[in-house]
Amino acid sequence: MKKLNYIAVCLFLALMSCDEDDIDIPVSVLPSNLVVNTQNMGGGTVNFTASASEANYYHFDFGDGSSALGTSGEVSKTYDMIGDNSYTVTVTAGSTEGKKISETLDVSVSVAFSDPETVTLLTNDSSKTWFLAASQQGHLGLGPARDGIDGDWWYPKWYVASAFEKCGTEDSDCLCDDEITFAVDSSGELTFELDNKGQTYFNVGHKAVVGGSEESDFCYDFDTSGAKSVVLSPVEGNVPEDETTGIQITISDGGFMGYYVGSSVYEILAIEDDFLYVRTYDTENADLAWYHKFTAEAAVDGGDENLETIYTNLVWSDEFDVDGAPNPSNWAYDLGAGGWGNGEAQTYTSDLENVKVEDGVLKIMAIAGEGEAAVHYFDDVTLIDAVGSSQTLEDFEGVAPTFTGFGGTETTVVANPDVTGDNTSANVAQSTKALGAETWAGSFFDLSTPVDLVTYPTISIKTWSPSVGANIILKLENQANADENVEVSVNTTVDNAWETLNFDFSSASAGTYDRVVLFFDFGVSPSGGITSGRIKSENLFEFTYGRVEIRAKLPSSGGTWPALWALGANYDEVGWPASGEIDIMEHVGNNNNVISSALHYPGNSAGNAVVGSTPVATATSEFHNYTVEWTPESIKFVVDDQVVHNSFVNNGTTPFNNDFFLIMNVAMGGTLGGSIDPAFTQDTMEVDYVRVYQ
């Protein structure tokens, strides 16, 4: 089109007596001297630089179906095909008049497979140890290979499935001691190490590796110490996407994952934060695939002691087989809030939504309601000497101090919301304790001059609280050394009104106290109106000595604190801990799948109780049996028939020789439950049965 326009112009000008010297007609020029350079940057990235004389643009055909067009001649391309690959690249330099030249070159690119998400799940970004999931069906399984008859997929058929079968017999129990650690080394490479305690469980077809003579699978002395490198790669073959991750692990130097079948390659069928499911192929029979389940939690460690009970006569039970409220012949309710000294957030009710029998199990449910943050106000922090003279430390009327909150509390200076009674000043400090805040949440502000407690042994503060009996703690600290501190606790006596509280520091030791720390409603976390259930057999079934077995599945939400326990029936006469307390099982959602048991009695109660804990990998997803065997001579705590800890020596001096009754509940927050998940809505403890044998 442009050329025709010039011809038209020339004809027109010819009629006007013009000549060629008056017109500058563009000439189409062919680009020349095309040069293409490449720089392999690693990881599949190649930088291309092209240059040519008289070129106005460059076109790159990268040889993998993609291309790029630009004017600078510089472009970066990242290839994503895994492995060592070669690509034929064509680079074209062209002019705007349609002239162009091309160069063809071959580039070689190596792309290593990477899957950061899988590496993170295997290693927790640094190091993670995996254990055989001995409590799970199919922890070691045998099934057909990936490609079955006519290429069809065969899902594994388990015939080696029982945890007892592998962990309870001498010829195979070494498998259950294995610890597998995946780690990321200093160079960022994935490593693997199997600690098999010097023994390996061998498939009988591979016994020649150690000169074995057994006619079946057996544990042989075979040490596998030492770290090995690991390569992740895609799985090839007939692999349905919903049955595998499509990723496999190859371990260097003949490394293997516990059970020896000659293979070092493991396909990852499923992986989660605490669960790893893999498949490998027997090198002696490629038609057979072995399946392994691992957990990131160690198995319950009961040593070699299985419970050999002396109590076999069932004397009382509840199987929870009638829907509705719990059987009133077996259970009564505890009702109320606060957890009786534990600073808990829930209110216990007898409502069916909190405690009910349904589908053959008892369900105790903690449910969040419509709550709100706890708001307190304070003003006029004042120093008072021995004769009543005073000096204002802070009245919030001038430049506001800088508040630092912690644990979920925020403090700011606001207009006085209640200009009546003890306080008619304009400005006050507002302390807001958020829903789910820590029970110890508070805030502080710093002083330019330390408080002189010798001259001023009393500090008064005007406070406004929404409730009577709220515990307010005033703590004085040294900014440079928080271990140097004193504190005084006072409870509010009115609600929704101002009052002046006096904090007596007359017995405090001398120090440099230049930080003021305030805790409002200490020991309580705003719950959002959480309700829950607590039932007991008090006055309905009480007993001395026996074996109590409770089968339960536990809640997992942050802040939940389920408990299965027993309390001395004379607690109302002698008080606690003189009555004694047997905590068969406790669990906290902020430390999932670790259960604890405890004994409370004089000299060993609250934070000084006799406590033991143990991992139970599926405590929140599966039912487990939690048992105590209580005799005149001992108290033993048991999980799934294995003694786990606390073989307490009982005698006539302890309170564990009188009647006790059973209690089951789900608490929220408090001294053990900790911080409640702000997103908490509800969670449930399910109990299949309670049985007492004597």
Side-chain angles (χ1 to χ4, degrees):
M1 179 65 75
K2 182 178 284 189
K3 190 171 183 179
L4 291 174
N5 288 339
Y6 281 121
I7 294 173
V9 169
C10 197
L11 289 172
F12 174 77
L13 292 177
L15 295 174
M16 302 298 294
S17 300
C18 70
D19 58 42
E20 292 182 357
D21 293 335
D22 296 323
I23 302 298
D24 184 13
I25 301 175
V27 177
S28 180
V29 178
L30 178 68
S32 60
N33 301 320
L34 175 58
V35 177
V36 182
N37 294 312
T38 63
Q39 184 179 14
N40 196 322
M41 307 301 294
T45 298
V46 180
N47 290 341
F48 294 87
T49 303
S51 63
S53 300
E54 306 300 331
N56 298 107
Y57 69 89
Y58 298 88
H59 180 270
F60 297 83
D61 182 341
F62 296 117
D64 66 344
S66 65
S67 61
L69 177 66
T71 59
S72 70
E74 295 184 357
V75 68
S76 180
K77 163 66 178 177
T78 299
Y79 294 90
D80 56 13
M81 183 177 291
I82 307 301
D84 298 327
N85 299 291
S86 181
Y87 300 90
T88 299
V89 179
T90 301
V91 181
T92 300
S95 69
T96 54
E97 281 68 46
K99 300 294 185 179
K100 57 187 178 182
I101 59 173
S102 299
E103 286 286 342
T104 299
L105 64 156
D106 292 328
V107 294
S108 296
V109 182
S110 295
V111 179
F113 177 84
S114 65
D115 190 310
E117 181 179 1
T118 297
V119 172
T120 296
L121 289 170
L122 285 172
T123 67
N124 198 27
D125 284 332
S126 58
S127 177
K128 184 189 286 187
T129 299
W130 297 86
F131 308 85
L132 191 74
S135 65
Q136 294 196 24
Q137 177 101 355
H139 62 266
L140 176 62
L142 175 64
R146 183 188 306 127
D147 296 308
I149 298 175
D150 298 326
D152 291 335
W153 173 263
W154 291 9
Y155 197 75
K157 305 292 190 291
W158 311 109
Y159 77 74
V160 184
S162 167
F164 175 80
E165 197 170 350
K166 295 297 111 185
C167 299
T169 59
E170 183 178 355
D171 61 353
S172 60
D173 62 359
C174 68
L175 180 65
C176 301
D177 296 332
D178 291 352
E179 298 180 9
I180 291 174
T181 302
F182 287 96
V184 177
D185 66 18
S186 58
S187 63
E189 297 298 319
L190 185 60
T191 65
F192 166 92
E193 186 167 3
L194 167 64
D195 179 4
N196 65 2
K197 311 299 188 297
Q199 282 202 319
T200 296
Y201 187 43
F202 269 77
N203 177 276
V204 65
H206 300 268
K207 64 183 180 180
V209 173
V210 286
S213 59
E214 301 293 332
E215 296 305 314
S216 61
D217 292 6
F218 203 78
C219 286
Y220 291 96
D221 292 339
F222 188 75
D223 196 358
T224 62
S225 58
K228 305 179 187 301
S229 63
V230 175
V231 174
L232 299 182
S233 60
V235 173
E236 297 180 358
N238 178 30
V239 186
E241 290 184 359
D242 60 348
E243 304 290 359
T244 180
T245 65
I247 300 168
Q248 66 185 23
I249 301 168
T250 300
I251 307 168
S252 70
D253 302 321
F256 58 96
M257 297 178 72
Y259 183 52
Y260 193 94
V261 293
S263 175
S264 297
V265 180
Y266 295 82
E267 178 184 359
I268 301 176
L269 300 177
I271 184 169
E272 299 172 3
D273 186 59
D274 59 356
F275 179 73
L276 175 62
Y277 185 23
V278 300
R279 166 174 46 204
T280 192
Y281 295 94
D282 195 316
T283 57
E284 293 293 319
N285 186 349
D287 290 333
L288 295 180
W290 293 95
Y291 296 76
H292 303 63
K293 292 182 179 180
F294 298 94
T295 175
E297 298 282 353
V300 172
D301 182 12
D304 296 326
E305 184 179 1
N306 291 327
L307 179 65
E308 296 182 3
T309 184
I310 64 172
Y311 297 123
T312 58
N313 181 35
L314 181 65
V315 297
W316 185 90
S317 70
D318 197 326
E319 304 296 324
F320 304 114
D321 51 7
V322 178
D323 286 0
N327 185 346
S329 298
N330 291 341
W331 305 103
Y333 297 89
D334 269 330
L335 306 175
W340 296 278
N342 290 320
E344 297 163 21
Q346 80 290 330
T347 297
Y348 288 126
T349 81
S350 58
D351 295 343
L352 273 178
E353 66 177 1
N354 294 121
V355 185
K356 65 181 175 181
V357 177
E358 185 178 59
D359 300 327
V361 297
L362 170 71
K363 297 180 179 180
I364 300 180
M365 293 166 285
I367 304 172
E370 296 181 0
E372 58 185 18
V375 179
H376 294 75
Y377 301 93
F378 63 100
D379 196 11
D380 294 341
V381 182
T382 304
L383 305 176
I384 303 174
D385 66 16
V387 296
S389 298
S390 63
Q391 176 182 327
T392 300
L393 192 64
E394 181 59 67
D395 62 7
F396 310 115
E397 298 301 333
V399 177
T402 299
F403 290 102
T404 300
F406 52 87
T409 287
E410 180 181 358
T411 301
T412 58
V413 174
V414 299
N416 188 347
D418 186 5
V419 188
T420 61
D422 272 7
N423 191 18
T424 58
S425 63
N427 297 321
V428 299
Q430 174 182 283
S431 175
T432 303
K433 197 171 187 179
L435 282 174
E438 301 286 357
T439 58
W440 40 262
S443 63
F444 66 82
F445 62 92
D446 292 336
L447 305 171
S448 58
T449 303
V451 174
D452 181 3
L453 290 181
V454 175
T455 304
Y456 300 101
T458 300
I459 300 178
S460 71
I461 303 179
K462 292 178 181 178
T463 66
W464 189 102
S465 172
S467 60
V468 175
N471 185 18
I472 300 177
I473 295 177
L474 171 60
K475 184 177 184 180
L476 303 177
E477 288 183 358
N478 182 338
Q479 294 180 34
N481 178 17
D483 290 334
E484 185 180 320
N485 63 77
V486 291
E487 64 180 49
V488 175
S489 172
V490 178
N491 289 345
T492 59
T493 63
V494 298
D495 60 0
N496 299 306
W498 285 102
E499 67 175 324
T500 300
L501 300 179
N502 292 315
F503 298 82
D504 182 4
F505 287 92
S506 59
S507 61
S509 57
T512 302
Y513 303 120
D514 54 2
R515 172 171 289 170
V516 177
V517 189
L518 279 161
F519 305 84
F520 285 91
D521 217 5
F522 183 84
V524 176
S525 174
S527 66
I530 295 176
T531 58
S532 188
R534 175 161 140 167
I535 60 174
K536 58 186 180 180
S537 69
E538 183 179 13
N539 299 321
L540 298 170
F541 174 70
E542 298 174 353
F543 65 105
T544 304
Y545 311 135
R547 174 167 59 95
V548 181
E549 182 176 299
I550 305 176
R551 184 167 178 80
K553 182 170 66 175
L554 310 178
S556 60
S557 299
T560 55
W561 175 9
L564 310 170
W565 53 298
L567 183 65
N570 62 348
Y571 75 96
D572 54 347
E573 300 172 5
V574 302
W576 182 93
S579 61
E581 177 180 324
I582 303 172
D583 296 329
I584 303 169
M585 186 290 306
E586 292 183 282
H587 176 271
V588 294
N590 288 317
N591 187 24
N592 268 326
N593 297 320
V594 175
I595 64 97
S596 64
S597 302
L599 295 171
H600 299 261
Y601 57 100
N604 293 271
S605 62
N608 194 38
V610 177
V611 179
S613 63
T614 192
V616 179
T618 55
T620 62
S621 59
E622 298 180 7
F623 283 91
H624 292 271
N625 289 2
Y626 301 101
T627 300
V628 64
E629 178 146 297
W630 166 32
T631 79
E633 293 78 31
S634 69
I635 299 175
K636 297 180 179 180
F637 294 98
V638 180
V639 176
D640 295 335
D641 296 325
Q642 274 195 311
V643 178
V644 291
H645 53 77
N646 294 356
S647 292
F648 177 79
V649 177
N650 196 21
N651 57 54
T653 68
T654 76
F656 304 112
N657 298 286
N658 302 301
D659 273 358
F660 276 60
F661 60 88
L662 299 171
I663 304 175
M664 298 187 292
N665 66 286
V666 177
M668 293 295 299
T671 52
L672 187 60
S675 179
I676 299 171
D677 183 349
F680 175 79
T681 55
Q682 70 177 51
D683 212 339
T684 305
M685 174 170 69
E686 298 183 45
V687 180
D688 187 17
Y689 59 76
V690 180
R691 297 170 183 169
V692 180
Y693 300 83
Q694 288 183 326

